[in-house]
Amino acid sequence: MAVSMERFVLPGESLDAEYLPSHPTLPLKLGPGLRHIPPNTITPTVAGQLCSDKRKNAVWVEFNGGRYIPTVGDLVIATINRPSPEFYYASLSDYAPQATLPNLSFEGASRKTRPQLQPGALVYARVSLANKHMDPELECVSSSTGKSDGLGPLNGGMLFTISLGMARRLMLPRPAEQGRVVVLDEFGAAGVSFEIAVGRNGKLWVDSTSLKTTLAIGKAIQETDLKGLNPEEQKKLARKSMKDF
Amino acid sequence: MTISAEPSATLSHLYRADGSATFSQNGYTVIGAVNGPIEVQRRDELPEEAAVDVIVRPAAGVGGTRERHLESILQSTIRQIILIHNFPRTLIQITLQITSTPENDSASSKLVQASSNLPILPTLLQTTVLTLLSASIPLAMTLASISFAINSTGSSRKIIRNPTLEEFQAANSVHVLAFTSNGQLLVAESEGSFTLEVWDEVYEIGKDFCCDVTEPAGDDIMQQDGLDGNTGGMAFVRSTLEHKVSADLHWKD
């Protein structure tokens, strides 16, 4: 990946043009942690590492956030709080304003056939609307194709809370190489079958054949996150927890 | 008990808060935690910006007017640095718990109760900034704060930077200043009798101290030196955060 020029930034610092990528045709894309003050000032809003991608002409700040702030296109795990005639009210993080999930935004849903979700049910959804003046809106179906693409209710399993940074690492295209999370590969290599879903809002859903395995995997990820384990330590941890199976 | 004037800080050590920091300086230690943006009570809701709630808890007993005064100074300061317009109708809640204050041998505890509110203000301000940075709440800028005690005997004047509590009580006037990372004055609280020249001098020294321009990142030796020397306020924030970010992003190449 053409990611280059990593530099530590604090909010309000001025960024020299040399840290911003330039591309002959593509417009500059600003990622999380940056803001544009018209006419031509770009400053960071959080403390983190400034990263840029020359090929995509994008620049962003890499940081481990505290609370999830909804952004359009993010895949999240939402907890259903209560139904209403048109929507389900769902929560993305504790004490934050509730998100709405329209009853009909599921694959193949119509007035007659739509999933009945109880309070406390989990759904894997995409943030379809995030606007600072409105509550966020979710969808479990791709609006262009009408397919669910793996989104929808999550049945069984358990939910674990992880840091936003860990969620980001797990959601990278190749978590083992890019994010240095090898603990899941280690479980998989040992023949443990399990299913996970990662929400950008710092939630991890794990399901497997037995409760013991589910707990072991969830706890292993949480420990990797909390203690900042390196690949060798993660392998050791995975082997240790598999002894109990 | 020896009191170190050197600041020290721990970041993101509270597990359940969105962001947290413990900061000690001049014998004061404060634990800060921030939650936000979260849902706000209807009566506190602001239609165009986030409500900022600051709670200061004293080391012993319950808060009184003294804490309310400090809260009001902190609240109006912090509103200037958080990008509150990005989070309308939400709440950003900052809790600051004072855990230790310098012991005072010369004065009885009763006198301390009646004494000035200012000695702890720089520590509270600095804790708040570190807490907000730890939570990655979008900020327009950072700030650094400093206190001064001024002893004038006749024509000679002695300016003490980051004074101890005794020096604070013996001084003719005390000043607390805070500057943003852009070098703008954000807080100016003074007590005692002083002239305008004295204030101007304090302003210049404070500005130099708070905004001392650090070397651009990559100059690691400079950063390390900065940690144990007589560091500027901004340099301390910078080195603390640099530590945290590199620990958070250990998985990156």
Side-chain angles (χ1 to χ4, degrees):
Chain A
M1 223 160 87
V3 177
S4 63
M5 293 235 263
E6 282 160 10
R7 176 194 168 209
F8 173 76
V9 289
L10 275 178
E13 270 179 16
S14 58
L15 292 181
D16 296 335
E18 58 174 304
Y19 291 103
L20 303 175
S22 60
H23 196 279
T25 49
L26 282 173
L28 180 68
K29 269 187 210 150
L30 291 187
L34 291 172
R35 71 172 178 145
H36 173 224
I37 309 169
N40 48 16
T41 315
I42 291 170
T43 83
T45 59
V46 293
Q49 215 172 53
L50 188 74
C51 301
S52 56
D53 189 329
K54 285 236 162 62
R55 217 181 44 225
K56 291 180 185 155
N57 203 28
V59 59
W60 70 96
V61 179
E62 193 83 53
F63 62 97
N64 189 5
R67 178 171 290 267
Y68 175 68
I69 297 167
T71 316
V72 173
D74 279 353
L75 295 173
V76 294
I77 297 178
T79 313
I80 301 293
N81 278 350
R82 60 196 166 87
S84 81
E86 302 273 312
F87 307 107
Y88 286 110
Y89 286 97
S91 91
L92 298 180
S93 53
D94 298 334
Y95 310 110
Q98 298 196 341
T100 55
L101 172 63
N103 281 344
L104 295 178
S105 73
F106 291 90
E107 189 182 56
S110 66
R111 289 258 167 242
K112 299 266 167 55
T113 60
R114 54 198 165 105
Q116 295 296 320
L117 298 172
Q118 297 306 312
L122 300 174
V123 285
Y124 199 37
R126 187 188 297 111
V127 178
S128 60
L129 180 115
N131 180 320
K132 65 178 179 177
H133 289 291
M134 291 162 73
D135 288 345
E137 213 164 277
L138 307 174
E139 62 181 10
C140 285
V141 65
S142 164
S143 48
S144 52
T145 60
K147 290 274 187 291
S148 68
D149 298 334
L151 302 178
L154 297 169
N155 298 315
M158 278 183 80
L159 190 68
F160 298 87
T161 308
I162 53 177
S163 74
L164 300 194
M166 190 65 185
R168 166 150 166 72
R169 281 166 76 184
L170 287 168
M171 290 176 92
L172 288 168
R174 283 169 289 126
E177 293 99 69
Q178 291 173 341
R180 302 217 184 139
V181 196
V182 297
V183 65
L184 291 176
D185 294 352
E186 201 65 17
F187 279 111
V192 181
S193 63
F194 60 91
E195 203 181 341
I196 70 163
V198 186
R200 198 73 177 78
N201 55 342
K203 305 279 183 212
L204 171 75
W205 173 85
V206 186
D207 193 16
S208 72
T209 44
S210 75
L211 191 62
K212 214 171 189 175
T213 332
T214 309
L215 264 172
I217 292 168
K219 290 268 180 211
I221 293 275
Q222 278 183 327
E223 199 170 324
T224 306
D225 181 19
L226 211 63
K227 296 184 182 163
L229 302 181
N230 63 30
E232 282 75 54
E233 290 167 327
Q234 291 177 32
K235 281 181 187 162
K236 213 188 252 171
L237 172 70
R239 279 197 294 272
K240 202 178 127 217
S241 49
M242 273 186 289
K243 269 189 198 141
D244 304 338
F245 293 169
Chain B
M1 194 177 92
T2 54
I3 290 169
S4 112
E6 284 306 315
S8 68
T10 325
L11 285 190
S12 300
H13 55 308
L14 298 183
Y15 179 58
R16 298 209 179 258
D18 288 339
S20 54
T22 294
F23 179 73
S24 18
Q25 189 180 29
N26 284 346
Y28 289 103
T29 305
V30 179
I31 305 179
V34 63
N35 280 301
I38 57 176
E39 215 160 15
V40 62
Q41 276 192 17
R42 209 50 182 275
R43 63 189 160 102
D44 302 329
E45 189 177 279
L46 300 172
E48 289 289 344
E49 55 196 35
V52 177
D53 191 7
V54 183
I55 302 156
V56 176
R57 293 182 182 279
V62 290
T65 33
R66 176 187 155 90
E67 279 70 30
R68 299 291 94 73
H69 176 224
L70 288 169
E71 282 169 14
S72 73
I73 297 173
L74 287 166
Q75 205 249 10
S76 51
T77 311
I78 293 309
R79 287 180 69 82
Q80 302 299 317
I81 68 164
I82 302 179
L83 290 168
I84 43 176
H85 293 282
N86 284 12
F87 304 103
R89 298 177 298 106
T90 59
L91 172 71
I92 293 168
Q93 189 180 50
I94 301 158
T95 312
L96 298 161
Q97 168 74 56
I98 301 164
T99 52
S100 71
T101 52
E103 281 178 44
N104 193 337
D105 302 327
S106 56
S108 73
S109 58
K110 197 133 194 189
L111 253 174
V112 176
Q113 275 288 316
S115 73
S116 126
N117 292 343
L118 292 189
I120 200 168
L121 189 56
T123 317
L124 289 173
L125 277 168
Q126 211 69 42
T127 313
T128 314
V129 171
L130 290 172
T131 311
L132 290 171
L133 286 168
S134 145
S136 295
I137 287 179
L139 305 179
M141 51 208 156
T142 54
L143 67 77
S145 168
I146 188 175
S147 57
F148 292 99
I150 290 161
N151 275 317
S152 14
T153 43
S155 59
S156 70
R157 201 161 54 220
K158 196 172 154 217
I159 298 183
I160 308 165
R161 201 168 63 184
N162 281 333
T164 62
L165 193 57
E166 283 85 42
E167 288 168 331
F168 234 106
Q169 284 166 343
N172 292 73
S173 70
V174 292
H175 306 265
V176 173
L177 303 182
F179 290 87
T180 69
S181 45
N182 310 335
Q184 291 151 330
L185 182 68
L186 202 52
V187 179
E189 295 283 329
S190 301
E191 264 175 27
S193 62
F194 54 93
T195 60
L196 204 56
E197 289 89 74
V198 173
W199 196 90
D200 284 341
E201 195 177 338
V202 162
Y203 172 83
E204 288 304 329
I205 300 174
K207 190 168 178 178
D208 286 349
F209 177 82
C210 290
C211 312
D212 73 347
V213 187
T214 47
E215 294 296 315
D219 210 341
D220 279 351
I221 303 142
M222 285 296 291
Q223 298 290 335
Q224 283 305 312
D225 278 348
L227 269 177
D228 40 50
N230 214 345
T231 47
M234 216 61 89
F236 176 77
V237 172
R238 201 185 163 86
S239 61
T240 312
L241 260 296
E242 206 158 356
H243 240 81
K244 187 221 173 212
V245 166
S246 67
D248 277 350
L249 302 179
H250 67 93
W251 50 275
K252 288 202 80 182
D253 299 319

